[in-house]
Amino acid sequence: KRKGATIVDEFQELLNQMKSELLKSRSDELNQEKNQTSDHLPICPKCHGTGWELFVDENGYDVARECDCGILEKKRFDSKLSFAAIPKAYENVRLKEFSTKYYAQENKQLAKAIVNTVKFWFEHREEMTELGKGLYFWSDVKGCGKTMLATAIANELIHNYKESVKFAT
């Protein structure tokens, strides 16, 4: 016990020491991970790679808030992509790149109309959802683009609307 120190002072000192050790430990773990994989970005100096920025609020309490470095948002996004289980061949398919060039001439107009319907649904997504209107595609023709269209929709929902989706056959 330090001379003249109160129990609160000692507790605050112990808490600060624990925070420092925790941040160093987490930083060491992330540096170790970084050395194992080369695609990691530099560790954020505010959160030390935890995604949580520690600070003292106006009342003197130690609190944490999500760091603005974006690591938690990236982890949430990566988790949504992983959960979606979109096949590798379709993971980058998006509506704006949906092409009808491989369709027979007599089917191109139908395919364009379907894609335009999907785009209309996205433009009016909130109203459509409130009305209980969704999208359903069916065809007994193999290779007509149902899976590609479904994964394009899933990717739009994940990337543009931060929605969770699950791809299933």
Side-chain angles (χ1 to χ4, degrees):
K1 183 174 179 176
R2 294 178 318 184
K3 187 175 180 172
T6 67
I7 190 81
V8 173
D9 293 331
E10 288 183 24
F11 180 74
Q12 187 63 45
E13 185 177 321
L14 180 62
L15 184 61
N16 288 337
Q17 182 182 356
M18 289 171 58
K19 282 193 317 188
S20 177
E21 289 172 6
L22 177 67
L23 289 173
K24 182 179 179 345
S25 170
R26 182 64 180 138
S27 181
D28 289 347
E29 288 173 18
L30 289 170
N31 281 329
Q32 208 170 15
E33 288 175 14
K34 180 182 177 188
N35 291 336
Q36 292 171 356
T37 58
S38 61
D39 61 347
H40 275 60
L41 298 173
I43 294 176
C44 174
K46 289 191 228 174
C47 71
H48 305 281
T50 65
W52 295 100
E53 181 181 356
L54 303 175
F55 68 100
V56 178
D57 72 4
E58 65 274 358
N59 298 317
Y61 293 108
D62 289 320
V63 294
R65 66 178 162 226
E66 188 171 332
C67 186
D68 59 5
C69 71
I71 191 169
L72 287 179
E73 183 63 31
K74 174 149 181 30
K75 285 180 180 181
R76 283 190 288 267
F77 178 78
D78 290 346
S79 176
K80 286 180 184 192
L81 278 178
S82 176
F83 174 78
I86 295 171
K88 194 119 180 102
Y90 298 101
E91 65 186 14
N92 295 315
V93 175
R94 301 297 285 274
L95 272 179
K96 65 183 175 187
E97 290 120 14
F98 195 90
S99 175
T100 60
K101 69 181 177 181
Y102 298 110
Y103 287 88
Q105 191 59 41
E106 61 272 10
N107 295 329
K108 279 187 185 204
Q109 280 188 297
L110 178 59
K112 285 180 183 178
I114 292 169
V115 171
N116 286 335
T117 300
V118 171
K119 288 178 180 178
F120 177 85
W121 185 87
F122 271 106
E123 289 168 10
H124 300 89
R125 188 166 100 55
E126 286 184 27
E127 301 98 311
M128 294 294 201
T129 303
E130 285 176 19
L131 293 170
K133 304 290 183 187
L135 298 167
Y136 181 82
F137 302 100
W138 177 87
S139 174
D140 57 1
V141 176
K142 290 183 179 185
C144 68
K146 296 180 300 289
T147 299
M148 188 167 296
L149 189 57
T151 55
I153 292 167
N155 281 322
E156 293 297 320
L157 288 168
I158 295 169
H159 290 270
N160 294 344
Y161 298 95
K162 312 294 186 241
E163 296 282 341
S164 291
V165 302
K166 185 69 172 174
F167 179 82
T169 57

